[in-house]
Amino acid sequence: MAGVLGVVRAWWGTAVRGGRYLLGTLMAATVTLAAAPLLCVPALAQPWAEYHRRRAGALLGQPVEPRQRGVRRNLAWFVAQILTGLPSGAFALLCLGTFSLTPVVTLAWWAFPAAPWLFVISFPLTGWGTALSLGLLNVVFLATLAALTFPLLARSHARCCLAVLAPSPAEQLVERVTELTRTRVDVLQAHSAELRRIERDLHDGTQARLVAIAMRLAVAGENLCDGPETAATLVRQAHAETEDAMTELRSVIRTIYPPVLADQGLAGALGTLATRAGVPTRIDIGPLGEVPAAVEAVAYFTVTEALANIARHSGATKAAVRLTRDGPLLRAEITDDGAGGADATRGSGLDGMRRRAAALDGTLQIGSPPGGPTVVTVELPCV
């Protein structure tokens, strides 16, 4: 029973979203028709067309990236919007209006017995039984009609919008070159920053300890004959300094390429990482095949940063990491049951994860509504 109710609820929710989209389409088509002269100005047409693309992408669940200006396609879409949006939106308004008025008509039949009510023209209303049964039949018919047609009309309109406003091959090439140029700049900046960090860690940490060791050993050598106990103490201190220097050096090396990846592979490294995560973490790894070392490193650091963010900011009680291979793509999905609200535009670690993925021509998507759950999906090409 619960399963049937869930299916009905999902079905009806889809119809409601479709009806909301169609009513918005009716308003947008009306505005387009009324403001047609103004929309001939490219500066006004472009944001209006992009608004429709975002609406269509949101309905279809497809990410929509900003595109270059296309005057002809914008004008073509405005014509298509008027031709398709007005009738489909009017149909949705008629169905919803009739659906809403049916209870009023059913209850007020006795006050206006001669009125030509919808669907009951051939049936004289002589009692409450006829009025209620016909009203219920009308409600069921309109609800079924809306559930069957609204999602279909809405998706068809959204696909038409994305198809008409899709960038041309030349624009796609320009956008691709622009994106590669931007990611190349990001990679160079990240590389320079990483080199500076490594130099600083080595200079301030390991190098300083090595200098201290050299000085202790030099003093110990001078006191070896005259003060063997002092020399022995200095040698012991130098040995301790050596151990600390080795620990710091391993830490620096681990940030360049984690040794656990070379020793255990990506699956083993993530398993080890899950045991050290701040929240209970489940790891699910499918067959991965051969993965390039650079892709393994980015996937590992991405999961590391995501789990660190979960432990610090989400308030989650559990997390999950799912790693799969889909043809040439390695996909990592990190989920948690925390408070949500994650946003990569705030300059957090999520932005660093996005830049790491973009450096390999990969993508990062974040779904984090207020209240959760948060889902971070990273796709990395393995070619």
Side-chain angles (χ1 to χ4, degrees):
M1 185 64 180
V4 174
L5 291 177
V7 171
V8 173
R9 192 180 300 112
W11 188 31
W12 185 247
T14 303
V16 170
R17 287 192 297 272
R20 189 184 301 119
Y21 178 88
L22 291 175
L23 292 179
T25 298
L26 176 61
M27 296 177 60
T30 304
V31 172
T32 301
L33 181 61
L38 294 176
L39 294 178
C40 293
V41 180
L44 298 177
Q46 182 69 15
W48 186 236
E50 288 300 294
Y51 164 75
H52 288 91
R53 291 182 71 238
R54 290 193 297 270
R55 285 188 70 237
L59 179 73
L60 298 175
Q62 300 179 6
V64 176
E65 298 294 334
R67 63 184 177 89
Q68 301 294 327
R69 180 174 298 178
V71 177
R72 292 183 179 179
R73 278 188 304 281
N74 290 344
L75 296 178
W77 165 243
F78 296 150
V79 174
Q81 164 77 337
I82 293 172
L83 295 178
T84 61
L86 286 177
S88 59
F91 172 77
L93 181 62
L94 177 63
C95 288
L96 294 175
T98 306
F99 182 87
S100 302
L101 289 176
T102 295
V104 178
V105 171
T106 301
L107 295 176
W109 68 270
W110 52 270
F112 308 96
W117 302 116
L118 192 61
F119 294 120
V120 296
I121 296 176
S122 302
F123 300 92
L125 300 181
T126 58
W128 284 109
T130 304
L132 293 176
S133 60
L134 289 176
L136 179 61
L137 179 63
N138 195 30
V139 168
V140 171
F141 172 78
L142 290 172
T144 304
L145 182 64
L148 292 175
T149 59
F150 284 6
L152 179 62
L153 287 174
R155 287 196 297 268
S156 298
H157 183 274
R159 292 192 185 99
C160 176
C161 173
L162 295 182
V164 174
L165 293 176
S168 66
E171 290 178 342
Q172 291 178 355
L173 180 60
V174 171
E175 291 177 359
R176 180 63 175 158
V177 171
T178 303
E179 176 66 16
L180 290 176
T181 302
R182 184 186 62 79
T183 56
R184 179 177 178 272
V185 172
D186 287 345
V187 169
L188 291 176
Q189 291 177 345
H191 180 66
S192 299
E194 190 70 6
L195 289 179
R196 288 194 298 270
R197 182 192 62 79
I198 294 172
E199 187 275 335
R200 184 174 59 252
D201 290 346
L202 292 176
H203 180 273
D204 297 342
T206 307
Q207 179 177 317
R209 290 188 180 277
L210 291 176
V211 171
I213 292 170
M215 294 178 62
R216 291 181 190 279
L217 291 176
V219 174
E222 294 175 355
N223 291 273
L224 187 59
C225 297
D226 299 334
E229 293 183 358
T230 302
T233 301
L234 291 173
V235 169
R236 286 193 296 270
Q237 293 175 350
H239 180 267
E241 289 282 353
T242 303
E243 293 293 335
D244 293 339
M246 291 297 297
T247 300
E248 289 188 358
L249 186 59
R250 292 190 193 99
S251 177
V252 173
I253 293 173
R254 191 177 296 113
T255 62
I256 301 173
Y257 187 84
V260 68
L261 280 178
D263 297 338
Q264 304 180 23
L266 183 57
L270 292 181
T272 302
L273 181 63
T275 62
R276 303 197 306 264
V279 295
T281 303
R282 177 174 56 85
I283 302 292
D284 181 13
I285 301 179
L288 301 181
E290 184 176 355
V291 180
V295 176
E296 283 189 336
V298 170
Y300 177 82
F301 284 123
T302 298
V303 175
T304 301
E305 181 66 29
L307 292 179
N309 286 342
I310 291 172
R312 288 195 299 261
H313 307 300
S314 71
T317 59
K318 60 182 179 180
V321 177
R322 186 168 183 266
L323 204 65
T324 58
R325 178 75 177 267
D326 183 10
L329 288 179
L330 179 70
R331 179 179 294 108
E333 185 178 271
I334 306 99
T335 61
D336 68 75
D337 61 350
D343 186 0
T345 62
R346 298 175 183 172
S348 63
L350 293 174
D351 185 58
M353 294 162 57
R354 180 193 60 77
R355 287 188 283 107
R356 280 185 185 271
L360 296 183
D361 204 18
T363 61
L364 180 136
Q365 297 180 2
I366 302 172
S368 185
T374 296
V375 180
V376 178
T377 303
V378 182
E379 293 185 344
L380 303 169
C382 294
V383 294

